[in-house]
Amino acid sequence: MTVLPPKHRTAYVNARLLDPASGLDAPGGLLAEDGKITDLGPGLFKDGLPEGAQRVDCGGACLAPGLVDMRVQIREPGEEHKETMVTAGRAAAAGGVTSMVGLPNTEPVIDDVAGVEFIARRAREAKGVKVYTYAAVTRKLEGKELTEMGLLAENGAVAFTDGLKPVENAQVMRRALAYAKTFGLLIVQHPEEPSLAGGAMNGGELATRLGLPGIPKLAEVMMIERDLRLVEMTGGRYHVAHVSTAESVEAIRRAKDRGLDVTCDTAPHYFALNELAVGEYRTFAKVSPPLRSEDDRIAILEGIADGTIDAIASDHSPHDQESKRLPFGLAEPGIVGLETLLPLSLQLYHWEKCGLLDLLAHLTVKPAGILGLDAGRLAKGAPADLLIFKPDLSWKIQPDSFESKSKNSPFEGLPVQGRVVRTVVDGRALFEAA
Amino acid sequence: MTSTHGTTASYEGYRHRHLLGIEGLTASEILFLLDLSDGYVALNRGADKKKDLLTGRTVINLFFENSTRTRTSFELAAKRLSADVINMSVAWSSIKKGETLIDTAMTLNAMHPDVLVVRHPDSGAVQLLAEKMNCAVINGGDGSHEHPTQALLDALTIRRRLGGIEGLQVAICGDIAHSRVARSNIHLLTTLGARVRLIAPPTLMPGQIDRMGVETFSDMRKGLKDCDIVMMLRLQTERMQGSYVPSTREYFHFFGLDQEKLQAAKPDALIMHPGPMNRGVEIDSELADDIHRSVIREQVEMGVAVRMACLETLNHNLHAARSRQEQAAQ
């Protein structure tokens, strides 16, 4: 008789179970065995814990699927002084993110199979949260030749994007959408018409006062509208990254109404801040696309609430001091976001714009669904990627205590509510609040 | 305040540590600096032009952009106050890396200057430097943002000619979008109660500038109608390739100041220009040299006086603050 090794069992008791995929919101427990969820529900463990199970008392805190962050710059390979696989993984775990998807704008660019395999290997070695990667739409992000999308996807690329650069050439975009459709692959676009987007901040009164070149809002919706025509023509799958304007939300809303296969995300700074955060040349508030007007900020909130905006991604963009302590026009754009994704997003719940389940859907099952990842749900057989958090616990954001190697956050000192208690990946606790 | 340059001046009128821009200054702060400048105009016209107010002080002119005129004006102003002056010109093209800006600040700081005058091609760069410096910083022009001493010298010129600023109708014409002179002048003139009109082709008019309390025009004759002051800006001809305007010829035809367009303004309207001029591009040579109407050379003269007033005030404020700190430490 063969003796099976004992199962690794963890029983999470005394939790508020939250599963946006099934609509479950009830007190109960969850059992994870060997990295999978094997049971969950109200009344679980009423007859006691299974044999050999480790007991984790959630103390009434929320137990939800771990967050799926569909837009992260890991900076490895090439810019390890800003972030590495290990530090990004720690930051993700501290932020409740159990799966993150890296952009291909590394050095070298992730545009071939070796690059995709490198990411997978480094992620295994780092033993952190789950790491997926986009591959480039065009070789070297030059916007000219398509990458080997089919082969890249077979080797693990989850979708295709040129990262911080839009696919500028309409013919290239048309072919990318059409070719990707062959394999059912998704094209993710950074929505900015580059010839209009040469500025440093949102075009408007503040840019005029500060003497900074402005980027008109039109640059965003113009690129989206163009692409939507190409989506209609090709039948491709298209996702708009970090929408920031009211007009963009409206254009996407109309496209969805027309039945196009279109999705989009935004980042917390587009609903938490407006262009006034630039204030006195504050480079921490320089992002791409730029922070917009208050009207746009409100439109983004509403787009999330009504589901036009499918997902919220951190758009984690770590930068060292040397990239930010510059005159505004010269500073790199971007904010570190992994560790503030949950509390900033929970503002929508606290502002009563979204129910808790609905908000979590934007951070879990919806991005997982867009990218086809086995993540983002509490279900029997699903990976035990879990987030335990207290939605009301208040604290102040302190970048100095971030796990991320870079500290470029404009949210320093902001009081927020909602804190991660424990992050679990494949049944293994990667983060526990002190 | 009367001309009190000298030892008895009270500096309560301007208590800031730096002069980074006109935005945010009050009318009385601006008037304080103008009053102090008046005294220096008289001094500069005399035979003995030297004061010893800044003896032992060090003024550094740090220019990341070429500007012989502004640099010379600051240099002369500092020397007339007996300061030690050094000029540092840094070719911006050779130091694209901005960390150098902070490095430069740290290096200069170690030399203990009292006043640092900075010109930089990027908006906000002077403010960034000022945050790292222990001395007083004067913005000698940053990007398309501000050029406060230019606005002060323009105001001094106007005030000495016309007696005051309040109620005047001033037209600022030309490349508003890229002009720090325009922004500083808009703040200053509106703060002192003038009405400001901007005249430019739409490609050179920045978005929502009407929110700064000005009227905008794209027709010279309409814009200049009944103006007391016509302030022309330099067309940055290096930008012509950016297709902001089709050609200098076309620009002069529609937006250059000539006798015919000037008819729309008041008969005795003053013509101003921050220099250097592109004759035949933004201004007709004949008008530029019209000694009755053009005050362009007077602006240069006022520049030295204004900069002396600013140097004196900031130097005083810096050392008053330092001695307060020392007293508090004892």
Side-chain angles (χ1 to χ4, degrees), chain B residues 23 26 29 65 70 74 127 161 193 198 210 231 239 273:
Chain B
E23 187 172 19
T26 63
E29 285 167 340
E65 257 182 5
T70 304
F74 271 110
Q127 186 177 318
R161 278 286 187 128
L198 306 179
D210 49 315
M231 201 179 268
R239 295 187 197 281
H273 193 298

Side-chain angles (χ1 to χ4, degrees), chain A residues 264-299:
Chain A
C264 69
D265 69 76
T266 193
H269 36 269
Y270 297 113
F271 58 77
L273 299 173
N274 64 28
E275 62 182 332
L276 297 180
V278 171
E280 306 217 307
Y281 302 102
R282 206 158 167 233
T283 56
F284 277 8
K286 183 176 181 183
V287 282
S288 173
L291 298 174
R292 305 286 187 181
S293 69
E294 180 63 9
D295 289 347
D296 292 305
R297 188 185 76 84
I298 288 166

Side-chain angles (χ1 to χ4, degrees), chain A residues 221-222 224-226 228-229 232 246-262 264 306 308:
Chain A
V221 71
M222 188 178 270
I224 294 172
E225 296 269 22
R226 181 203 78 172
L228 290 173
R229 295 289 178 135
E232 197 156 26
E247 289 87 347
S248 306
V249 176
E250 185 50 36
I252 292 162
R253 192 176 283 134
R254 283 199 308 270
K256 286 184 164 187
D257 288 345
R258 273 167 38 227
L260 298 184
D261 197 349
V262 171
C264 69
D306 73 11
T308 304

